[in-house]
Amino acid sequence: MSTVEDWTTHDTTAPAHEPLVIDDQDNQTFRVHRSAMTSAEVHRAEVERVFGHSWLYVGHESEVPKPGDFVRRNLAGRPIFMVRGAKSRDVNVFHNSCTHRGALVCRQDSGNSKVFQCFYHAWSFDSEGKLKGVPDREGYSNGLDFDRLSLAKVARVDSYRGFVFACFDADVVDLPTWLAGAKEYIDLVVDGCGGSVEIIKGTNEYSFDANYKLLIENSADGYHAASTHDTYFKYLVSIGTDLQGGVIGQAVKLGNGHAVIEYSAPWGRPVAKWEPLFGEDAKVEIDRIRAELTERYGAERAHKMCEVNRNLIIYPNLIINDIMAVTVRTMFSPAPNRVDVTAWELAPTDEVPSLRERRLDSFLTFLGPGGFATPDDVEALESCQTGFSSGGVEWNDISRGMGRGPMANDEQQMREFWRRWQQQMGDAADLGGAR
């Protein structure tokens, strides 16, 4: 076991002969060793074992609607880009590396291009990844195999309801199998937006000093809301929102590390739940949307879309928060005590301007970079990461709710993430020096 001296660094020592996650069903306790958030060896193993063999969210098909449209992304530390093929019309995902000497071939965050030219030696590739141009090709006496030198595609690419995922492992299970029960909740999000959605242009990108898994936990943690976001609730009261009844809901296991908390809450939802923040003139339009959803999907399903909030964890690093706005958020730790976050806002395609304005305002008010929630959460998670270096305590406790039904402010959703994480990571004794 680690000593007090071990805890004075940010590289907490992992237990030598125990798993990093202890799931004791008999005693209804669940613990996670803090080295999972601090150890450099654990982090290196995690990049290979978790992110190297999991389906990872790349982007949304709506971001590349036309042939040649592209977006550049960092996928678990690897530069890639997604582009709509001019011939196939498929969404292609390529390793962002020239097959000549390795330089980036896509050097802009987004745009449209028929050709991607490496600035180093001017080799050029089309939107299907095919090598098209090589200066002074006569210099290759044996010729060039243009097919072999095409851009490398990420091993597996697939999409569900417009959400594009990729995996570096060619042998991974198919995407629908991987998503398991999460598909039902993606359906609720998309159908609640009328069946056709788009990512609104622009991203919310930020970094802070904590491990990404702390933000995974936080993103679906109903327990912290009342204390950490007290200012937001006071704000709601000040604009006339009735907070009586509070937050009522449950946590649901969805398989393969995915989980969700679904709950009713006093705040409004741009889908079709009015609140004073939206203004009186919005009531008619919201009633119209609710009526259309009820007619299309029936009263029970429409109620879920309009009234029920969802904080969805899609393992290992995608969060879809369908709350007072629909936010799609990914996170990755380039180092154990650092996390890079990218968030987008999802909305119905061709939404009328007044509704879009209300949706964006809801997003920025709570989840935006200067909103009520994000600064609070950053402060809380950086405080946790700093506290890990204090010493004296080796394990985080995530047992809340094991002895009762899975309420929305319990921790079952976090336990599902950690159980899958432990399966992929194995014991600490097998981490190549983590001890």
Side-chain angles (χ1 to χ4, degrees), residues 388-399:
F388 294 155
S389 65
S390 175
V393 180
E394 289 191 88
W395 300 86
N396 279 359
D397 186 273
I398 311 181
S399 305

Side-chain angles (χ1 to χ4, degrees), residues 225-399:
S227 53
T228 305
H229 302 310
D230 176 65
T231 302
Y232 178 66
F233 291 108
K234 289 178 179 176
Y235 164 73
L236 291 179
V237 171
S238 74
I239 62 172
T241 302
D242 184 1
L243 299 186
Q244 291 186 5
V247 174
I248 302 173
Q250 63 178 344
V252 182
K253 300 184 293 185
L254 303 176
N256 294 332
H258 319 310
V260 66
I261 55 172
E262 51 182 0
Y263 53 96
S264 61
W267 53 76
R269 286 171 50 77
V271 175
K273 181 184 178 183
W274 183 86
E275 70 168 345
L277 178 65
F278 296 158
E280 290 292 330
D281 58 345
K283 282 185 175 181
V284 174
E285 186 64 24
I286 285 180
D287 287 343
R288 180 192 65 79
I289 295 172
R290 181 186 291 264
E292 288 181 355
L293 291 173
T294 301
E295 181 179 1
R296 182 180 299 182
Y297 298 107
E300 182 178 354
R301 185 168 175 81
H303 174 81
K304 284 187 176 183
M305 295 172 181
C306 299
E307 297 283 343
V308 180
N309 297 273
R310 283 165 283 280
N311 293 49
L312 174 63
I313 299 172
I314 298 182
Y315 181 91
N317 69 329
L318 171 63
I319 299 292
I320 300 177
N321 280 344
D322 181 10
I323 44 179
M324 65 284 297
V326 183
T327 301
V328 178
R329 181 162 66 182
T330 60
M331 54 217 68
F332 176 73
S333 284
N337 60 344
R338 188 73 174 169
V339 59
D340 298 330
V341 186
T342 305
W344 303 266
E345 175 66 1
L346 192 75
T349 305
D350 300 323
E351 190 172 33
V352 299
S354 61
L355 298 183
R356 180 62 57 88
E357 181 180 358
R358 184 169 71 238
R359 182 181 298 275
L360 287 173
D361 185 70
S362 295
F363 164 65
L364 292 171
T365 298
F366 188 69
L367 294 168
F372 282 98
T374 299
D376 288 344
D377 290 333
V378 168
E379 171 67 19
L381 301 186
E382 287 190 333
S383 180
C384 291
Q385 194 75 34
T386 300
F388 294 155
S389 65
S390 175
V393 180
E394 289 191 88
W395 300 86
N396 279 359
D397 186 273
I398 311 181
S399 305

Side-chain angles (χ1 to χ4, degrees), residues 6 34 45 64 81 85 88 199 217 234 276 311 326 343 357 400:
D6 290 329
R34 290 181 175 180
V64 288
F81 68 101
S88 67
I199 292 289
E217 292 179 349
K234 289 178 179 176
N311 293 49
V326 183
E357 181 180 358
R400 184 176 172 84

Side-chain angles (χ1 to χ4, degrees), residues 54-56 72 91 182 211 386:
S54 300
W55 282 99
L56 306 173
R72 181 174 66 162
V91 175
N211 189 275
T386 300

